[in-house]
Amino acid sequence: MSVTRTGEPEGADPRRWWGLVIIALAQLMVVLDATIVNIALPSAQRALGMSDGNRQWVITAYTLAFGGLLLLGGRIADLVGRKRTFIIGLIGFAGASALGGAATSSGMLFGARALQGAFAAVLAPSALSLLTTTFTDPKERGKAFGIYGALAGSGSAIGFIAGGLLTEYLNWRWCLYVNIPIAVIAVFGALALLHDRPGHTGARLDVPGALMGCGGLVAIVYGFSEAEPRGWSDPLVVTMFAIGVVLLSTFVWWQTRAPSPLLPLHIIKDRNRAGCFLTMGLAVIGMFGMFLFMTYYLQVILGYSPVKTGMAFLPLTVAIIIGSTQISARLMNHVAPRMLMVPGMILAASGMLVFTQLEVDSSYATHLLPGLLLMGLGMGLTFMPVFATATAGVAPQDAGVTSATVNTSQQVGGSIGTALLNTIATTSSTAYVAAHLRGPAHRDLIIREGVVHGYTVALWWAVGILLLAGLIAGLMVTAKAPKHAPAAGAPVPESVG
């Protein structure tokens, strides 16, 4: 690519880096909203009178709607235009946040969270596609994806910090209201700075595919979320899994015959993209499980305040940013993606291994901090090459749906990870307490030991899941370093077969 005297790629928008700020701001809002309410949840539960069984829906309603509707959101972005759907998503997200902040009942809050997830499903793929089409120079693309990957990876941790500050010093409702000024800034920034090609207005949405694909994902994620309170063999849980498998199998069959498929199968038939989608999903299962257990461990076992709990995650955030921007972004053009992803997953698994040694009186400095730093560096190394590799070389009309598939693997992985690992932890805790409790003496200590034992058992599973992610990245992601591969943005065939 030729460059100007100032070193800028020829024909590049001189304001593109400000555009990146706007895209990153919107993505940060979407990602952190999956966790910002976690620390505020006890306050919201008391204020709205939620039962212990129902309080999970504050989290699950968001991730279910987000993960289940992302493919449809990606295709809408392709058809209507990324800038337009980006702005619509921002406005809708702000409105849903206002509704949730003003909630007077648990049902109103659950509905608002689901609405947030639906608009996030439109916003997130639009943001990633705008990033992909704005930065086409390989060197700049590496820097841009480094920033984007850092935010995607650290947004959840930032959500914990913001949630703790807002809950302790203002009110739990501000964990939702805070999205409104962010969205307003992003809307004005998008109108002024972002550019896009017109949408493909002549095409049609694959409505049957949307119903089958989204319905299948929602059924499976709902089944995992209900497995914790009901048990794996509960008829509702088994039925949800069966419905999910049938719907997704039918969805795949339909995509080979639909005139305008929601997910063109050549996108996931590509070995590198499929490897990236699987690596992302498995990595986030481990990470979200860690967030859940560390939050409860810090607040319930060690007695940390909401702010202190949020700040305890700060080293993780810093490590993710360093891993993404200072290591991955610098090496991306020189080494194959799996040479970053595999070590990243091994580092993250090592951090998780440190957490498996937790006891009721473990020290933050000696037991938690090393694990958080290793996890952060590992996730930072992994996220950026996953995003960049999964979206490289995609035809313009498929950019939105490819971006949506990356985000779907992230959200569905988070939902599954929270439900799956929480079920393992709860079952192990109950078994431990039943085996060790012999009377009222030391009852509180045995219960606390049982809770921590449940966490460590689940975290051992998380270690295995992260190592599996590294194995899949090593075997499936065979792409070469960008400087040895076809230029980013090279088109792929519109259809296969």
Side-chain angles (χ1 to χ4, degrees):
M1 177 179 290
S2 57
V3 296
T4 63
R5 289 183 180 179
T6 59
E8 296 278 303
E10 190 173 342
D13 183 352
R15 299 184 299 173
R16 64 195 177 284
W17 292 105
W18 284 108
L20 174 62
V21 171
I22 299 302
I23 294 169
L25 193 64
Q27 176 66 14
L28 178 63
M29 181 178 72
V30 167
V31 174
L32 69 81
D33 228 71
T35 56
I36 193 171
V37 299
N38 278 27
I39 293 176
L41 192 51
S43 302
Q45 183 180 356
R46 288 192 298 270
L48 301 179
M50 292 178 225
S51 68
D52 286 347
N54 285 336
R55 67 186 177 188
Q56 61 151 331
W57 284 105
V58 176
I59 309 299
T60 311
Y62 181 82
T63 54
L64 274 174
F66 195 177
L69 295 173
L70 263 167
L71 285 173
L72 183 62
R75 186 49 82 192
I76 289 172
D78 285 336
L79 298 181
V80 178
R82 289 77 185 236
K83 179 177 177 178
R84 186 179 301 172
T85 52
F86 183 78
I87 292 170
I88 291 170
L90 284 168
I91 293 170
F93 198 92
S97 299
L99 184 67
T104 55
S105 67
S106 58
M108 185 175 173
L109 179 58
F110 299 157
R113 289 287 286 166
L115 198 59
Q116 275 186 310
F119 280 108
V122 174
L123 179 58
S126 303
L128 189 52
S129 330
L130 284 167
L131 180 64
T132 303
T133 54
T134 300
F135 294 92
T136 54
D137 176 67
K139 188 174 181 180
E140 289 194 346
R141 186 182 174 89
K143 292 179 183 177
F145 272 100
I147 295 168
Y148 185 89
L151 288 170
S154 64
S156 298
I158 294 171
F160 283 116
I161 297 169
L165 291 168
L166 292 168
T167 301
E168 190 153 328
Y169 294 114
L170 290 173
N171 184 285
W172 68 267
R173 296 179 184 275
W174 279 95
C175 291
L176 294 158
Y177 286 145
V178 71
N179 292 319
I180 299 171
I182 296 174
V184 169
I185 293 169
V187 166
F188 283 110
L191 288 170
L193 297 169
L194 297 181
H195 305 285
D196 188 31
R197 302 181 183 89
H200 301 279
T201 54
R204 294 178 301 167
L205 282 176
D206 175 18
V207 176
L211 293 173
M212 288 182 281
C214 298
L217 285 172
V218 169
I220 286 177
V221 175
Y222 180 70
F224 273 109
S225 71
E226 286 298 302
E228 191 273 318
R230 295 173 180 269
W232 292 102
S233 60
D234 182 84
L236 175 65
V237 174
V238 174
T239 301
M240 285 296 105
F241 286 146
I243 290 172
V245 169
V246 169
L247 283 174
L248 289 178
S249 300
T250 309
F251 169 77
V252 173
W253 169 83
W254 172 250
Q255 294 307 287
T256 64
R257 290 156 177 80
S260 301
L262 183 68
L263 177 61
L265 292 184
H266 66 261
I267 289 174
I268 55 174
K269 282 180 179 177
D270 180 271
R271 177 174 180 158
N272 289 298
R273 287 194 197 101
C276 286
F277 299 151
L278 285 171
T279 301
M280 173 61 81
L282 292 169
V284 174
I285 286 177
M287 190 170 77
F288 267 55
M290 183 273 294
F291 281 145
L292 177 72
F293 300 136
M294 289 303 103
T295 301
Y296 277 93
Y297 180 80
L298 290 168
Q299 290 197 69
V300 176
I301 304 300
L302 298 186
Y304 281 26
S305 68
V307 168
K308 192 175 180 182
T309 299
M311 295 305 290
F313 284 101
L314 189 57
L316 175 79
T317 306
V318 173
I320 289 175
I321 292 171
I322 291 171
S324 282
T325 62
Q326 300 305 309
I327 302 176
S328 272
R330 293 174 185 271
L331 295 177
M332 179 185 167
N333 288 324
H334 304 286
V335 300
R338 64 178 171 183
M339 298 302 293
L340 295 171
M341 294 159 65
V342 173
M345 285 295 91
I346 293 173
L347 271 177
S350 302
M352 199 71 79
L353 195 63
V354 173
F355 294 141
T356 63
Q357 307 306 307
L358 288 176
E359 298 177 354
V360 291
D361 56 353
S362 293
S363 160
Y364 177 82
T366 58
H367 285 84
L368 290 169
L369 183 59
L372 290 169
L373 291 173
L374 287 169
M375 275 286 295
L377 285 172
M379 291 297 176
L381 276 173
T382 303
F383 278 129
M384 195 274 286
V386 165
F387 280 122
T389 306
T391 56
V394 180
Q397 67 270 22
D398 289 330
V401 73
T402 304
S403 304
T405 310
V406 181
N407 280 286
T408 296
S409 63
Q410 194 174 5
Q411 291 303 317
V412 173
S415 301
I416 290 172
T418 301
L420 170 66
L421 295 179
N422 197 39
T423 298
I424 293 170
T426 304
T427 306
S428 302
S429 295
T430 303
Y432 182 94
V433 172
H436 291 80
L437 192 60
R438 296 287 182 264
H442 309 298
R443 176 184 175 84
D444 288 344
L445 177 61
I446 295 296
I447 290 175
R448 282 156 59 88
E449 287 179 347
V451 169
V452 176
H453 172 77
Y455 294 166
T456 56
V457 170
L459 290 168
W460 272 111
W461 280 81
V463 170
I465 290 168
L466 292 175
L467 290 174
L468 178 60
L471 180 64
I472 287 174
L475 294 176
M476 292 186 67
V477 183
T478 57
K480 297 179 181 179
K483 69 176 184 178
H484 300 303
V492 295
E494 290 189 27
S495 60
V496 174

